[in-house]
Amino acid sequence: MSREFSPEPQGRSPKRKRSDDYDGARYGDGPDAALSYAYDDDLNSDAENAFQTPDHGSDNEAASPKRRRLERPQKLNYVPHLTLRGHKRGIAAVKFSPDGKWIASCSADSTIKIWNAHTGQLSQTLEGHMAGISTIAWSPDSKVVASGSDDKLIRMWDISTGKSFPIPLQGHHNYVYSLAFSPKGNMLVSGSYDEAVFLWDVRTARVMRSLPAHSDPVSGVDFVRDGTLVASCSSDGLIRIWDASTGQCLKTVVHETQPAVTSVRFSPNGKYVVAATLDSCLRLWDYVEGRCLKTYQGHKNEKYSINACFGKYGVNPATDSGTPKADQDSEQDADPTWAFLACGSEDGEVVLWDVSSKEILQRIPGHEGAVLGVDVESKNQSIVTCGVDKTIRVWRRQTLPPSGDAVTNGNGNGEVAPPVRSEQPSDEEQVKDSDA
Amino acid sequence: MNLPLSDPVLLAQDIPETLTARLRSSGQAVCIRFSHRGDLLASGTAKGTIAIFDLETNGVARKLKGHTSGRTVQSLSWEKSGRYLLSSSIDWKVILWDLKDGSRVRTVNLGAPVYIAELHPSNFNICVAALYEYRPVLADFTDSKKVKQMALPNLPKRAPHEIEGNEKADAKHFTTVAAFTPTGSHIITGTTKGWLNVIDSKTKETVYSNRLCSKPILLIRLSSSGRDLLVNASDTIIRTIKLPDLSDPNLQPDSIRLEVEHKFQDVVNRLSWNHVAFSSNADYVMASTLMNHDIYIWERGHGSLVKILEGPKEELGAVEWHPTRAFVAATGVESGRIYLWSINTPQRWSALAPDFVEVEENVEYIEKEDEFDIHDTAELTKRRLDQEDEDVDVLTVDEEQLEREGRIGKGAGEEFRMPVLLDMGESDSEDEIVAIGTGQFRRKSTAQADELEFVDGDDVADSDIGTNGHAGTKRRRGE
């Protein structure tokens, strides 16, 4: 059964159903949330024909590709791919390695686990911290993980051996709460409950600069793409931008109601920052002008430090996950891409917004309790999430037909498959349990 | 990406002001060179080791050992992407290093102590070297088994009748310095008798010669455009010379004229200059002085002295200007430390809160008519959210920015990222092991790290050894 839910639905036609009874009632957010997709085994042969013969089906299917490439999908379809179990307490952060091969997770049980991102197999359990771990960061070469713990230390781990480097980064006077590597991997920035931001020389494990950053715990830090700027945020409501080479504060942005900021991230092009605040909002700031450009709402975030993350999406899911048409493969690179934001919610969902329109692209239910960490991997179009329910979940994007009509016409079959009920994922998806 | 937030006044400043940092020493540095991108600084020591400094952290990124221990490293030359580095030493060897793993790609024995060796600007398998009392050499080590060494002429180009009767003098006429033009089409050399020779790197013949002075030429440097030449000679005069476009195929060798543009000298104190360098855009010329602690900076527009950089209380040897920024590095002759000068950036108070503004004088505040009106906050929020309708592109990176990062444009090429070694143990030199043994210098500094001064326990170990090794080699070139 699990193979049917692997990310390659070759030959299976994604089906779409507007299930206004159960799902609509459950998520209660209008038609946006009431969409789900399924693959019907019985339709197997028909569906294959539909994809392999280019002239098969109605004009609708044949005429649409050109136009469809230019139109932004109104919805995304991330489906459960893996569930990783093994941590004994809530999981604070989860990150894909930059090369996409690994997933690192850290938990209140003082361990870090490294998972194979494709199979979900547990590769390493890194033990050494004396208290819960709030944050992890991958080095750009995907060989080293840095972790920040409540034991005030930052440790660097070699993931090939599972051992930590002998000298920990020592200097914070309180819990280490957030970490980020510089793009070259030679510096590390850390934010702590001691209200300071430290810049570390990774090679010597020494503090290079200590920035007198905030008047409350520093909840988030990030490096910009070229490594010249550092962003920090704090529950004092401020987001500060620092010059990494001089250590001077270059800009401070704050929302007028000063809600506590729990996470800050630079946009992929480095021009903006997105900040999560405890008034259940994500805000996109132009930090040069100090102006809030967008406010994203629809999730619940009042208590936990929840990370937001940028991702990008094209018209179709990644080629390797089964876009069947050959002519589309060749033009895959030229396809326009748009950016989305992913953020966990305290009601157990992960919410995806389109950055420009602020529309919700998908709500992914799955976790019980707050979703604390989310990370997006663009190449395989995967999302990984973790939460207080001690599980890590990996989601993969699946094909989304342009409209319900096209699907029915496309496979020449009026039947509608029953929706997959995502509240019972353990039956269908691959479940990895490291304790087993 | 910090440019839009930086103070334009500071950005416009193009010469460094003050001594801002000292690099954690890793032996007695005698020659230094910035990588083309400016993020790394290579330093060669009097004891034959080479250290690569990361200028973002001011820490050692890699150590290279291969030259005969105790023999001074004479010159360093970077390949464009920053992956390969050529070093030369008085142990007769030039070594091409691969910084990806710190290995030696080629080790070539040139048969004589090397004054200076420089890589071809676009082909890192070719280098030119000036040798002690020998002819300069163009070495091609494309083939790992058989290195081609081609001797270049020492003697200037002269009419046949001038050669007669000069044989005796010619026997003692040697090249002290050689440099490639930015296209690599020509090599410019300087000789012990003050001649400047332009050698075609294909035919290996001197196409033009000019005598600048009667004393030996110590150093030749070319600006990045290749149109300006900076010559330090032992007659205490620094000359800048405008070069014709040597890569122009229509250029007639006979029409080349090398005219001295400026002569910089200290007429009062008759200072001589240890080392000279152009600024990044060649608008300035700087020099470190013999028996003096200062760096002199002249601008080339009028040829006037604009700045004397004061530094530590010791004589400075090699000086280098950062390829893009107002940032200068120099080595101390006695201690072998590397000192850095740049611009001080004061904290702007207006950056600390969004409503702070820096004003020249007092401003009388005039309250707006509706400033304290009470509005329905829900209504305001809704209106504001509705106004957030502009298109935002968070993915596309400006071309300008990509060019600065060296991904497109003229600096583009294969991107090389220096691997970050977390366990410097494998590349540690002996003097650092001593430092760990003698005290907890490094450990102590982690807690209360000073922002500018980098604690250097490492050079304590070798401060009493061979302080005059560097001075000796430098002087020898002047004789």
Side-chain angles (χ1 to χ4, degrees), chain A residues 140 144 156 165 167 170 183-187 201-210 224-226 228-229 238 240-241 243 245-256 267-272 284 287-288 291-295 297 310-312 337-339 355-356 358, chain B residues 1-2 4-6 24 39-40 54 56-62 325 345-348 350-354 381 384-398 401-402 404-405 407 417-424 442-443 445-447 449-452 454-455:
Chain A
V144 173
M156 316 281 274
F165 286 93
I167 311 169
Q170 202 170 359
K184 284 184 191 150
N186 54 354
M187 292 186 281
D201 178 350
V202 169
R203 296 184 182 95
T204 56
R206 289 181 313 131
V207 180
M208 276 167 51
R209 267 176 219 294
S210 126
V224 78
R225 51 173 285 126
D226 68 351
T228 54
L229 297 176
L238 306 183
R240 292 198 198 270
I241 310 290
D243 188 316
S245 58
T246 65
Q248 308 288 0
C249 178
L250 294 178
K251 190 80 188 177
T252 302
V253 292
V254 55
H255 191 255
E256 58 194 48
S267 67
N269 64 3
K271 284 189 191 165
Y272 311 99
L284 185 77
Y287 61 83
V288 177
R291 197 158 61 90
C292 176
L293 297 176
K294 303 276 175 188
T295 307
Q297 288 173 311
F310 280 99
K312 52 186 177 183
T337 50
W338 298 270
V355 167
S356 270
K358 303 194 284 175
Chain B
M1 306 243 32
N2 54 357
L5 286 174
S6 300
R24 271 176 72 85
D39 51 350
L40 300 170
D54 181 337
E56 286 177 358
T57 63
N58 285 5
V60 178
R62 201 180 266 293
R325 285 190 288 144
T345 47
Q347 175 67 57
R348 283 195 337 242
S350 59
L352 295 176
T381 316
R384 186 182 304 149
L385 291 181
D386 289 343
Q387 279 169 356
E388 297 175 349
D389 54 357
E390 63 193 291
D391 262 345
V392 182
D393 181 356
V394 297
L395 299 176
T396 316
V397 185
D398 291 347
Q401 171 65 20
L402 284 174
R404 266 197 300 277
E405 291 173 26
R407 286 166 201 242
R417 231 176 227 178
M418 187 87 173
V420 177
L421 305 176
L422 292 179
D423 43 352
M424 285 296 283
R442 291 166 85 190
R443 285 292 179 82
S445 64
T446 44
D450 196 309
E451 296 215 356
L452 290 181
F454 283 79
V455 180

Side-chain angles (χ1 to χ4, degrees), chain B residues 23-30 43-47 49 51 53 60 63 332 335-338 429 431-432 458-460 462-463:
Chain B
L23 291 179
R24 271 176 72 85
S25 171
S26 67
Q28 193 190 5
V30 291
S43 85
T45 67
K47 291 166 77 188
T49 56
F53 288 93
V60 178
K63 293 194 168 179
S335 68
R337 292 192 183 108
I338 299 169
S429 73
D431 29 39
E432 266 197 351
D458 306 338
D459 56 346
V460 174
D462 60 349
S463 59

Side-chain angles (χ1 to χ4, degrees), chain A residues 370-384:
Chain A
V371 178
L372 298 179
V374 54
D375 198 20
V376 179
E377 207 270 312
S378 294
K379 204 169 72 204
N380 294 316
Q381 306 214 10
S382 318
I383 294 180
V384 63

Side-chain angles (χ1 to χ4, degrees), chain A residues 71-97:
Chain A
E71 275 172 17
R72 184 173 69 76
Q74 299 300 302
K75 289 285 164 256
L76 291 177
N77 181 29
Y78 277 90
V79 299
H81 176 55
L82 298 167
T83 301
L84 315 175
R85 297 178 205 274
H87 280 296
K88 294 185 179 66
R89 294 184 65 191
I91 302 164
V94 65
K95 293 269 169 73
F96 278 111
S97 65

